[in-house]
Amino acid sequence: MEYTYEYFQKSADFLKTKVGYVPEIAIVLGSCLGPFSQAIEDPTVVDYADIPNFLVSTVASHAGKMIFGTVAGRKVVCMSGRFHSYEGYDFEQLVIPVRVLKLLGVKTVILTNAAGAVNTDYRPGDVMVIADHIKLNGNSPLRGPNVEEFGPRFFDVSQMYTPSLRKLALDCAEDSPLRVHEGVYMFFPGPQFETPAEIRAARILGADAVGMSTVTEALTAAHCGMPLLALSVMTNMAAGVLDRPLTDTEVDETANMIAGEFSEYVKKIVALI
């Protein structure tokens, strides 16, 4: 498949027929963080499966819907469900959502995810503002022919996670009941959880949390020149930190437990961007 500018434009043109405004902010919701979508006022909901040239989420806890509406007085588009390489998608396919958001006119992207805590000062239910990431696995989503309309072949990622947005998120945490940190996220391809040895290596390399998403979207946003904020919810301690096996049930339970507080936190950030 050749991913030309026109390929992504077809998706954006379809979505523009569904809404009569340009969304300012895009919010991508990770595993079990979907309840934030209930905060969207006057929603217009579009199933991913109905969008030409788009992808379909196969993870049970991801709704697979794009929701347009208003949050805290701001026009937003919310992706309730995202895509991962472990679902069988090529890394090159994972540029599709963010490039479509760019063509819709979105100015700022907020990514959220469920992550495992590597930093032993963290605990389940904490939130981490991503300051940087480590990706040693898999290809870049920007592999293959470059689409110049989105950005240059070689591009800087030294401030991919926008410093001003990170500061805003940390400021918003001051009166939040959530414990909020700033740290480094390390990407693993999954779908298996990481081994204890991999987590020890991640800690040595400087990672504070690990997960299976976010980085491909972040790289695509950086290529498009879009300001970016990424937030990780610590849904479990990573492998080997505690003497017990990891389960997706634990991830789901923790994410659901703090969904309300996390939604309020993200709403406050949206209001102040």
Side-chain angles (χ1 to χ4, degrees):
M1 175 64 67
E2 185 178 0
Y3 296 108
T4 63
Y5 184 82
E6 291 72 24
Y7 181 94
F8 305 103
Q9 189 68 60
K10 186 173 182 179
S11 303
D13 287 345
F14 171 82
L15 290 167
K16 287 176 181 178
T17 68
K18 302 297 181 181
V19 292
Y21 54 83
V22 176
E24 306 171 68
I25 301 167
I27 304 130
V28 179
L29 299 178
S31 299
C32 299
L33 300 176
F36 175 82
S37 61
Q38 298 170 11
I40 300 175
E41 301 169 9
D42 301 318
T44 297
V45 182
V46 183
D47 286 346
Y48 292 164
D50 294 335
I51 305 172
N53 294 344
F54 212 66
L55 306 177
V56 178
S57 183
T58 66
V59 180
S61 59
H62 292 240
K65 299 178 185 296
M66 193 171 286
I67 307 168
F68 295 83
T70 303
V71 172
R74 311 296 294 276
K75 294 297 183 184
V76 304
V77 54
C78 178
M79 284 184 57
S80 186
R82 58 143 56 86
F83 314 103
H84 314 77
S85 63
Y86 66 70
E87 295 175 74
Y89 290 119
D90 295 332
F91 276 87
E92 295 90 331
Q93 291 178 280
L94 299 178
V95 301
I96 291 173
V98 173
R99 285 184 171 176
V100 171
L101 295 173
K102 172 73 171 180
L103 292 176
L104 288 175
V106 167
K107 301 300 182 187
T108 302
V109 177
I110 299 175
L111 305 176
T112 72
N113 65 52
V118 175
N119 189 323
T120 54
D121 290 333
Y122 294 5
R123 63 189 185 215
D126 287 3
V127 174
M128 185 182 80
V129 177
I130 299 180
D132 204 348
H133 78 239
I134 301 169
K135 178 184 177 297
L136 304 179
N137 290 291
N139 290 319
S140 168
L142 285 308
R143 176 178 177 268
N146 186 52
V147 184
E148 293 289 339
E149 291 92 339
F150 290 109
R153 168 80 290 181
F154 304 104
F155 57 103
D156 179 61
V157 292
S158 58
Q159 298 202 28
M160 174 167 34
Y161 300 96
T162 308
S164 59
L165 293 176
R166 286 158 38 201
K167 182 179 185 304
L168 172 62
L170 293 171
D171 289 345
C172 287
E174 291 181 0
D175 57 358
S176 169
L178 298 169
R179 290 200 341 149
V180 180
H181 315 272
E182 187 174 35
V184 175
Y185 177 91
M186 187 165 181
F187 172 81
F188 283 84
Q192 73 283 349
F193 291 112
E194 302 75 26
T195 69
E198 287 171 336
I199 294 305
R200 291 194 298 272
R203 188 177 296 116
I204 290 168
L205 289 172
D208 296 291
V210 295
M212 306 171 192
S213 68
T214 300
V215 166
T216 52
E217 296 140 325
L219 288 168
T220 307
H223 183 247
C224 290
M226 302 173 79
L228 171 69
L229 174 67
L231 305 169
S232 293
V233 174
M234 302 299 110
T235 50
N236 56 279
M237 301 306 294
V241 177
L242 302 177
D243 186 22
R244 63 172 187 244
L246 302 183
T247 68
D248 58 350
T249 300
E250 180 184 10
V251 171
D252 294 352
E253 288 175 350
T254 304
N256 290 330
M257 178 183 68
I258 72 155
E261 292 174 347
F262 184 71
S263 294
E264 289 302 314
Y265 176 57
V266 175
K267 282 171 62 178
K268 184 174 180 181
I269 292 171
V270 167
L272 295 174
I273 287 178

